[in-house]
Amino acid sequence: MNRLYNSMEPRVMDDDMLKLAVGEQGPQEEAGRLAKQEGVLFKDVLSLRLDFQNILCIDNLWQFENLRKLQLDNNIIERIQGLENLTQLVWLDLSFNNIEAIEGLDTLVNLEDLSLSNNRISKIDSLDALVKLQVLSLGNNQIGNMMNIIYLRRFKCLRTLSLSGNPMAEAEDYKMFICAYLPDLVYLDFRRIDDHVAKLAETKHQYSIDELRHRETLMQARLEEEQARQEELEEHKAAFVEHLNGSFLFDSMYAEDTEGNKLSSLPGVSELLEAYPSNLSTIREESEVPSIEKKITECGEDVAELFNVLMTLEMQLVEQLECRDLENHHHEKLLEISINTLEKIVKGELDEDLPDDVRALFVDKDTIVNAVGASHDIHLLKIDNREDELVTRVNSWCTHLVDKIHTDEIMRNRKRVKEINQYIDHTQGELDNLECGDMID
C-alpha cells in the first residue's frame, strides 16, 4: 500500500510543528500546563508523535538527542534521513509512507522495534548497525527474493518478523524457509511459530542450513583474524611513531651542539628537514591511516556482499538438486491417481470424458504402471543430465578461477618486487648524494 499526495500541501518538519507536537502530547494536569507556558526543551522529550502530518521529508530532529520513541507513520516520506542524532531511539514507526530503500539507520544502535510496513521497499539491507533489533515489520512491501531472509540471520535478538503482503509471501515454501533459516524467531506474521512446524522446517532444509552455518563459521573466523591483524598493525604503528618521536632525526636535529650552533644549520641537513614534517602531529595528519581504515571498511562491506551473492547462488543450486526428491514425490502421487482412476473406470464411476489416447492407457494396472514408470525414468534422466551440466560448469569455473588467481598473484609479485627495487635504489641514491662529509666537518 502506498500513500499518495492528498489535497494538502506536503509539510516541512519545522520548529513550529515540533513545538506543537511536543505541547499536544504533554501532560494535561497543572504541571503540564506550566510546562507548555514555560516551554519544553527538545532534548528532554522521550516520545514524539508526528503521524498523519503529510510530512514529505524528515528534518530538524537533531535536538531530540534523548528521544526513545518516534512515530512517523501515515505520511508521504520518501527517504529515511535526518535521524543521525537520535542514538537513544528504541522504537521507530515509519509505516504507511513512500519509502523505497532502507537507509539512514547506521547510528541507531539501540533500536529494538522497527516498522517499515506498507512502503515500496524491495530489498532488506542496511540494517547492520541495529544489533539490538527484536521486532521488524516489513509487511505489504515489494520484497520478492526469498534470499533476503539470509541477511536477517545476523540479528541474534530478532524474535518477531512480519513479511505478509510481499511477493515472497506467496511462495509455497515461504513459512518453512523462514522457520528453517531463522530458528530463533518466535512470531511470524503476527502468529506464534509452532514447534512442530519449526522441526519440520529444520529437517527439510537441514543440508542447506548446515552448509550455511559452516560458511558463517568460516566468515566469522576470518573477520576475527582480520580484526586481530588490524589491532597488531595499530600496535606496530604506535610503536613506530613512538620510535620516531624519540629518534635522533626528530628530537636531536633541533638541539644545539656544544658550540651553540643548531644541527639544522649544517650543510645538507636543512634540505633534509624540509623533506620531512616538522612535528609528530604533521606526520599523523599526512599518514594514510584514515585511508587504510576506510579501505578496510569498504573491503569488509564487499566481502559481506560477496557472501550474500554466493549464498544466494548456493541456495538456488541446492533447490535445483532437490528436484530428484520432488520428482519421486510426483511419481508416487501420479501413480496413485492413475490407479484410482483405473478403478473408477472399471466400476463405471468416472464421469469425465477422457481423450482416446489417454483412455487407451487405462487398459489394466500393468499398462498404467509401465506408462507412469517410463515417464518417471525420462524425468530422472533429464535431472541427471542437469546435475552433470551443473557439476561440469562448477568445475570449469573453479579451474578458471584458480588459474586466474595464480596468474594475478604472479603479476602482482613481479610488480611489487620491481617497486621495492626502485624504492631501494632511489633511497640509496639519496643517501649517497647527502653531503655527509660537510656534516662531520
Side-chain angles (χ1 to χ4, degrees):
M1 183 182 298
N2 301 322
R3 288 187 53 80
L4 303 176
Y5 295 93
N6 56 29
S7 57
M8 297 175 57
E9 288 291 331
R11 299 184 62 189
V12 179
M13 295 176 61
D14 53 16
D15 285 345
D16 292 337
M17 176 189 291
L18 298 176
K19 290 178 181 177
L20 180 61
V22 172
E24 290 178 347
Q25 295 163 202
Q28 300 300 320
E29 63 273 8
E30 183 65 23
R33 288 193 291 271
L34 291 176
K36 289 182 180 180
Q37 293 175 3
E38 298 177 1
V40 178
L41 295 176
F42 286 169
K43 69 175 183 178
D44 296 330
V45 178
L46 301 180
S47 178
L48 184 61
R49 180 176 177 179
L50 292 167
D51 55 334
F52 295 98
Q53 297 290 327
N54 223 48
I55 296 172
L56 178 62
C57 180
I58 305 174
D59 199 6
N60 288 318
L61 293 176
W62 59 272
Q63 299 180 71
F64 294 85
E65 55 190 46
N66 292 309
L67 196 65
R68 299 291 193 277
K69 181 177 181 179
L70 177 58
Q71 192 168 339
L72 285 167
D73 59 286
N74 289 278
N75 286 291
I76 52 175
I77 298 170
E78 297 179 346
R79 291 192 59 188
I80 305 175
Q81 57 185 5
L83 304 176
E84 294 80 7
N85 291 338
L86 309 186
T87 56
Q88 303 302 318
L89 207 60
V90 176
W91 191 91
L92 175 61
D93 189 354
L94 283 165
S95 58
F96 293 93
N97 280 287
N98 293 327
I99 299 170
E100 296 184 357
I102 302 176
E103 58 185 339
L105 302 174
D106 296 339
T107 61
L108 308 187
V109 294
N110 291 302
L111 198 64
E112 298 178 2
D113 192 318
L114 174 62
S115 179
L116 290 167
S117 59
N118 294 276
N119 279 283
R120 303 175 181 177
I121 298 170
S122 59
K123 183 180 180 182
I124 306 177
D125 61 357
S126 303
L127 296 172
D128 297 31
L130 311 187
V131 294
K132 298 182 180 180
L133 190 63
Q134 299 180 16
V135 181
L136 178 60
S137 299
L138 284 166
N140 295 314
N141 275 281
Q142 299 173 8
I143 304 170
N145 191 344
M146 194 77 76
M147 292 304 125
N148 282 275
I149 301 302
I150 305 296
Y151 172 77
L152 295 178
R153 285 177 59 83
R154 68 189 67 192
F155 301 100
K156 304 304 181 182
C157 298
L158 187 63
R159 296 294 179 268
T160 302
L161 177 64
S162 173
L163 288 168
S164 59
N166 284 280
M168 66 181 298
E170 303 298 326
E172 182 179 355
D173 199 34
Y174 162 72
K175 187 173 183 179
M176 285 287 187
F177 190 92
I178 293 180
C179 292
Y181 285 89
L182 301 178
D184 295 327
L185 208 61
V186 179
Y187 295 93
L188 175 61
D189 296 335
F190 310 106
R191 292 186 179 182
R192 186 177 181 86
I193 297 175
D194 184 78
D195 293 339
H196 178 66
V197 174
K199 291 180 180 179
L200 288 177
E202 182 179 2
T203 302
K204 181 176 182 180
H205 295 274
Q206 184 172 2
Y207 173 77
S208 302
I209 294 296
D210 290 343
E211 286 292 322
L212 182 59
R213 287 172 180 168
H214 176 66
R215 293 175 184 273
E216 288 175 340
T217 302
L218 293 178
M219 181 66 70
Q220 182 63 30
R222 290 173 183 172
L223 290 176
E224 292 176 356
E225 182 181 350
E226 181 62 31
Q227 184 177 2
R229 187 183 297 112
Q230 181 66 19
E231 292 176 356
E232 183 180 359
L233 178 61
E234 291 295 334
E235 293 177 359
H236 285 303
K237 287 191 291 186
F240 178 70
V241 170
E242 183 178 358
H243 173 71
L244 288 180
N245 192 30
S247 66
F248 170 82
L249 180 62
F250 289 94
D251 286 338
S252 302
M253 196 164 285
Y254 293 101
E256 294 185 357
D257 58 12
T258 55
E259 298 178 357
N261 298 320
K262 290 185 178 180
L263 293 176
S264 58
S265 62
L266 294 175
V269 175
S270 59
E271 291 79 1
L272 183 62
L273 287 175
E274 292 178 357
Y276 287 91
S278 59
N279 54 60
L280 190 57
S281 62
T282 307
I283 295 177
R284 290 171 179 170
E285 291 176 359
E286 294 184 356
S287 67
E288 296 296 328
V289 174
S291 177
I292 294 176
E293 294 176 351
K294 182 179 179 181
K295 290 294 184 183
I296 292 176
T297 302
E298 293 176 353
C299 290
E301 295 174 352
D302 292 340
V303 169
E305 182 66 22
L306 177 61
F307 172 76
N308 292 332
V309 172
L310 292 177
M311 284 307 305
T312 300
L313 295 175
E314 176 65 19
M315 295 306 103
Q316 292 175 353
L317 179 60
V318 170
E319 293 296 331
Q320 290 177 351
L321 294 179
E322 289 178 353
C323 288
R324 187 181 302 278
D325 295 335
L326 296 175
E327 170 58 26
N328 290 332
H329 178 70
H330 169 73
H331 170 67
E332 294 174 359
K333 298 297 291 185
L334 180 60
L335 184 59
E336 179 183 351
I337 294 173
S338 300
I339 292 176
N340 291 336
T341 303
L342 177 61
E343 293 177 354
K344 290 182 179 180
I345 292 177
V346 172
K347 295 178 181 180
E349 298 177 354
L350 187 65
D351 297 332
E352 300 179 6
D353 292 333
L354 298 177
D356 294 338
D357 53 349
V358 176
R359 186 176 293 275
L361 295 174
F362 292 92
V363 178
D364 51 35
K365 186 175 181 179
D366 291 339
T367 304
I368 290 295
V369 172
N370 292 335
V372 174
S375 174
H376 180 54
D377 292 339
I378 293 174
H379 290 167
L380 289 179
L381 179 60
K382 291 183 178 180
I383 293 174
D384 290 338
N385 293 336
R386 178 58 175 167
E387 289 182 1
D388 292 340
E389 179 185 351
L390 288 173
V391 172
T392 301
R393 288 171 58 187
V394 169
N395 290 337
S396 176
W397 171 81
C398 183
T399 302
H400 176 73
L401 179 61
V402 172
D403 292 341
K404 184 177 184 302
I405 292 175
H406 181 68
T407 302
D408 292 345
E409 180 60 21
I410 292 176
M411 296 302 296
R412 185 205 64 78
N413 175 257
R414 291 177 178 175
K415 181 178 180 181
R416 187 62 62 196
V417 170
K418 182 179 179 181
E419 290 177 352
I420 292 173
N421 289 329
Q422 290 178 345
Y423 176 74
I424 295 300
D425 291 342
H426 172 75
T427 305
Q428 187 63 47
E430 291 292 325
L431 290 175
D432 293 341
N433 294 332
L434 189 64
E435 297 180 0
C436 296
D438 295 338
M439 294 176 61
I440 295 175
D441 295 337

